[in-house]
C-alpha cells in the first residue's frame, strides 16, 4: 500500500489518535489485511506507539495481520447448522482447499473461517462466500460451490443464478 493512499485515509478522518480505528478499518478494507509497513507508517504519522496499534489490531476480530484470500469463506458452525452436518461441510472444505479455519490457501484465493450463526438457520447448513449465502449445503456440493469462485462466477441465495 502506497504511503499516499494511507495519507488519503488519514486525511479523511484527521491525523489524531482517536481516528485510528476508522483508519485501520479502511486499510483493512483496501488490503484485506493490515500490512506491517502500513502500521509502522500510521504509528509515525499519528504519533502512536507501534505496540499500541498492534494491541488494537489484534483485539478486533475484523482485523487480520496476515494476508487474506481474494474470497472469504465462512462455514456456519452454529447449533442449527451443526445438527444438520456443518462439521462435514467444514471437513470437506478442509479437504478441497487444504487449509483449516483461520488459514489462507497458498494461491491467496481463499480464506476459510467458521462463524456461529449467519442468521439464516432454516437454510442450514449454510456457507457464506464473500457475503453470498449457500444454503442446504452437503459435502457433495462443496466442490461445485468453490468452483464458482475459482472461475470468479458468483451465485448464491442472495445473488443471481
Ligand atoms: S446456525 Fe447456521 S445460520 Fe444460524
Amino acid at each position: 500500500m502506497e504511503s499516499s493512499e494511507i495519507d488519503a485515509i488519514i486525511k479523511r478522518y484527521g491525523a489524531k489518535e482517536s481516528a485510528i480505528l476508522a483508519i485501520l478499518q479502511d486499510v483493512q478494507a483496501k488490503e484485506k489485511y493490515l500490512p506491517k509497513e502500513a502500521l509502522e507508517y500510521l504509528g509515525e504519522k499519528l504519533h502512536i506507539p507501534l505496540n499500541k496499534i498492534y494491541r488494537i489490531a489484534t483485539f478486533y476480530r475484523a482485523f487480520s495481520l496476515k494476508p487474506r484470500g481474494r474470497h472469504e469463506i465462512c462455514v456456519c458452525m452454529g447449533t442449527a447448522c451443526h445438527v444438520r452436518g456443518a462439521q462435514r461441510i467444514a471437513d470437506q472444505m478442509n479437504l478441497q482447499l487444504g487449509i483449516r479455519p483461520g488459514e489462507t490457501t497458498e494461491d491467496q484465493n481463499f480464506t476459510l473461517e467458521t462463524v456461529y450463526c449467519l442468521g439464516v438457520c432454516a437454510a442450514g447448513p449454510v456457507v457464506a462466500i464473500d457475503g453470498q449465502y449457500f444454503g442446504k449445503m452437503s459435502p457433495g456440493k462443496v466442490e461445485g460451490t468453490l468452483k464458482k469462485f475459482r472461475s470468479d462466477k458468483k451465485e448464491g441465495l442472495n445473488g443471481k443464478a
Side-chain angles (χ1 to χ4, degrees), residues 62-101:
F63 296 134
S64 173
L65 296 173
K66 288 189 288 184
R68 311 279 294 175
R70 284 179 286 283
H71 302 292
E72 177 142 327
I73 303 168
C74 293
V75 179
C76 181
M77 301 298 285
T79 307
C81 289
H82 179 76
V83 298
R84 294 183 180 131
Q87 188 59 55
R88 289 186 297 127
I89 308 300
D91 291 346
Q92 189 62 22
M93 287 284 180
N94 177 280
L95 209 65
Q96 293 283 329
L97 300 170
I99 53 171
R100 289 178 300 173

Side-chain angles (χ1 to χ4, degrees), residues 1-26:
M1 189 171 196
E2 299 289 324
S3 56
S4 59
E5 292 175 278
I6 302 175
D7 286 339
I9 295 172
I10 292 172
K11 200 171 168 198
R12 199 174 305 148
Y13 298 102
K16 50 186 191 267
E17 190 173 334
S18 59
I20 188 66
L21 206 52
I23 292 169
L24 291 177
Q25 281 172 332
D26 279 18

